[in-house]
Amino acid sequence: MRNVDAAGLGIGDDHPPRIMGVLNVSAESPYDPSVYDDPGEAAEYVDEELIGEGADIVDIGLESANKDLDVLSAEQELDRLDTAVETLESTSGDAVWSIETRYHEVADEALSRGFDMVNDICGFADPEMPRVCREHDAAVSKMASPSDLERPGAIEDVDEIYEALSMNGFTDKTILDPAFGGWSVEKTHADDRETFRRLREFRGYGRPLLVSINRKSFLKTIAGRTTEEALPVSLAATSMAVERGAHVVRTHDVAETRDAALVGAEFTRDRVRSGRDAGDTTVEELDVTTVREAERHLARLAADRSVAGDAVARTYELRGLTDEAVGALRAATAEPGVAAAFALAGSDAPEAASRPSATDGGAPDRAGDGGSGLLVGTPAGLSAVRSAVSDVSGALGDALEPIADTPR
């Protein structure tokens, strides 16, 4: 995983989760507590409510990205930039300053006047944006979007979201944002929830991830909460997002989100990472739990994606097994080259050696009204097991069918 240096702030797996606090200088923005048009008042808000409560990054929005509002031109955004710059200059706290825009002209001007980072809500739909960020050596958050400057984030299909993130390439300091929220009429809460479930997949490009999930509708509708009541669901999702690999969390609720992010970071998977000295061979265990996630990393390296199905292991507990089913599973997993294994419950107990098994004509231990055990294997191995046992036990084959039909 590539780490990004954003004006001295490290972002990535080697660093703690970073909190991006939000300030809007657009009267049309929907969340009133973050909206200011007076630089002095805005600076006070930044010092007390954002930096003072733990924000590492301050992200200033010049316009609302609400799909129901007219899109401002680059010139109109530039007219509002003075307020943002004056706010930056009036703030005493220390943070990385990010400008939210879709236009390279605005990014260029903001970076020239003291901003450190760009939050591109149209994900390089302006093809000049990466050039500007490279010239300023600036970090840039790139949100998944169509190649249309008037449609930020308006992608529904998760696979298309992943592909959109690569539009017009990456800079060395690109951070990826899969774009949660109602950016288009067609995008549903189910689409956002599927994107969240598959969050680890977006690590497949090997770059840090940013999530903007604060009080979003796809979360608050789960609990039946209004925007004002939705902080608890946002915090629950924040911990989950960080545990799943997010590195930056964009929020209006800085102090609470920071705490939730630290909890998520505490319980992330411990992964092997070694050989950091110059000249050493390095080893990094990837944050992969599904075949699809593995395929993303293979695609990044232009490697054979088919090997993912032979490498990612799944584990299933089976209950209610008949003697016939136990024998079939043992026989199927004993076949040479089958990447799967079956372990019968109680088989490691001291008395197990003298106890007859189903394959010996005896009866296995029972759990409830049948035996139990664990079946472990790769999707390909499990599919082979299912095919083999179907010839012996149709009931067991039917029970394993969902495993064979959902290899990812």
Side-chain angles (χ1 to χ4, degrees):
M1 169 68 66
R2 179 192 300 266
N3 291 292
V4 166
D5 183 317
L9 179 73
I11 299 172
D13 283 351
D14 289 342
H15 305 281
R18 303 304 189 182
I19 305 303
M20 175 184 275
V22 181
L23 172 70
N24 291 302
V25 296
S26 52
E28 69 273 12
S29 292
Y31 192 66
D32 288 343
S34 69
V35 179
Y36 291 86
D37 58 8
D38 177 85
E41 294 178 356
E44 183 177 353
Y45 173 75
V46 169
D47 277 329
E48 294 180 3
E49 304 294 328
L50 300 185
I51 299 175
E53 295 198 350
D56 305 289
I57 305 167
V58 175
D59 187 44
I60 297 190
L62 301 174
E63 66 169 307
S64 172
N66 190 315
K67 62 182 179 296
D68 297 323
L69 300 176
D70 291 335
V71 174
L72 297 187
S73 66
E75 291 72 21
Q76 289 172 309
E77 281 199 4
L78 286 168
D79 287 341
R80 296 183 175 186
L81 185 60
D82 285 343
T83 301
V85 172
E86 289 179 43
T87 300
L88 184 159
E89 294 173 345
S90 302
T91 302
S92 58
D94 183 25
V96 171
W97 287 77
S98 168
I99 192 71
E100 181 189 284
T101 185
R102 66 192 78 192
Y103 302 113
H104 79 275
E105 301 97 327
V106 178
D108 189 27
E109 182 70 11
L111 293 170
S112 298
R113 297 179 65 183
F115 279 80
D116 307 297
M117 177 176 170
V118 175
N119 182 11
D120 184 352
I121 60 170
C122 281
F124 297 175
D126 179 343
E128 292 299 306
M129 183 67 84
R131 174 187 61 80
V132 166
C133 293
R134 287 190 187 98
E135 289 178 353
H136 287 275
D137 193 28
V140 54
S141 175
K142 178 184 185 184
M143 192 171 82
S145 295
S147 57
D148 184 340
L149 287 172
E150 296 195 359
R151 301 181 65 238
I155 299 176
E156 296 82 42
D157 184 86
V158 180
D159 291 314
E160 292 181 7
I161 290 172
Y162 187 90
E163 297 305 324
L165 287 168
S166 65
M167 179 172 55
N168 290 323
F170 307 106
T171 70
D172 287 341
K173 294 187 174 185
T174 298
I175 300 162
L176 301 179
D177 175 359
F180 292 98
W183 299 97
S184 66
V185 175
E186 292 80 12
K187 194 169 190 178
T188 67
H189 295 161
D191 294 325
D192 272 335
R193 290 169 191 157
E194 178 67 10
T195 303
F196 192 89
R197 288 187 188 98
R198 291 170 58 178
L199 189 60
R200 277 191 178 89
E201 199 173 316
F202 299 101
R203 292 173 57 95
Y205 282 117
R207 297 171 185 276
L209 296 183
L210 178 150
V211 293
S212 182
I213 54 177
N214 186 236
R215 301 179 187 255
K216 289 292 173 70
S217 293
F218 83 97
L219 297 173
K220 64 188 184 186
T221 53
I222 294 173
R225 298 298 185 183
T226 65
T227 299
E228 290 70 25
E229 300 168 334
L231 179 58
V233 293
S234 292
L235 301 182
T238 292
S239 284
M240 294 174 65
V242 172
E243 189 275 331
R244 295 179 183 197
H247 302 93
V248 182
V249 184
R250 186 178 183 273
T251 181
H252 297 275
D253 305 294
V254 169
E256 299 89 342
T257 300
R258 174 186 175 275
D259 291 352
L262 291 175
V263 171
E266 181 66 22
F267 294 101
T268 55
R269 295 172 59 222
D270 290 329
R271 293 179 288 109
V272 173
R273 307 178 78 202
S274 65
R276 296 281 171 162
D277 294 333
D280 286 350
T281 297
T282 63
V283 176
E284 177 179 2
E285 181 184 357
L286 298 178
D287 192 9
V288 168
T289 61
T290 70
V291 172
R292 187 183 283 111
E293 290 162 8
E295 286 178 340
R296 297 301 193 190
H297 289 283
L298 289 161
R300 167 169 57 91
L301 300 174
D304 181 3
R305 295 175 60 178
S306 67
V307 303
D310 296 324
V312 179
R314 302 291 181 82
T315 302
Y316 299 90
E317 183 170 2
L318 311 179
R319 294 180 181 275
L321 295 171
T322 64
D323 297 354
E324 179 185 63
V326 170
L329 286 166
R330 284 179 164 172
T333 53
E335 289 293 323
V338 173
F342 172 70
L344 185 66
S347 59
D348 198 35
E351 66 275 17
S354 60
R355 209 167 45 227
S357 71
T359 53
D360 299 323
D365 281 356
R366 300 296 181 183
D369 60 350
S372 63
L374 291 184
L375 179 62
V376 182
T378 67
L382 293 169
S383 181
V385 168
R386 191 258 173 181
S387 297
V389 301
S390 294
D391 294 336
V392 179
S393 170
L396 177 61
D398 291 342
L400 296 182
E401 186 171 358
I403 295 176
D405 289 346
T406 55
R408 297 184 179 277

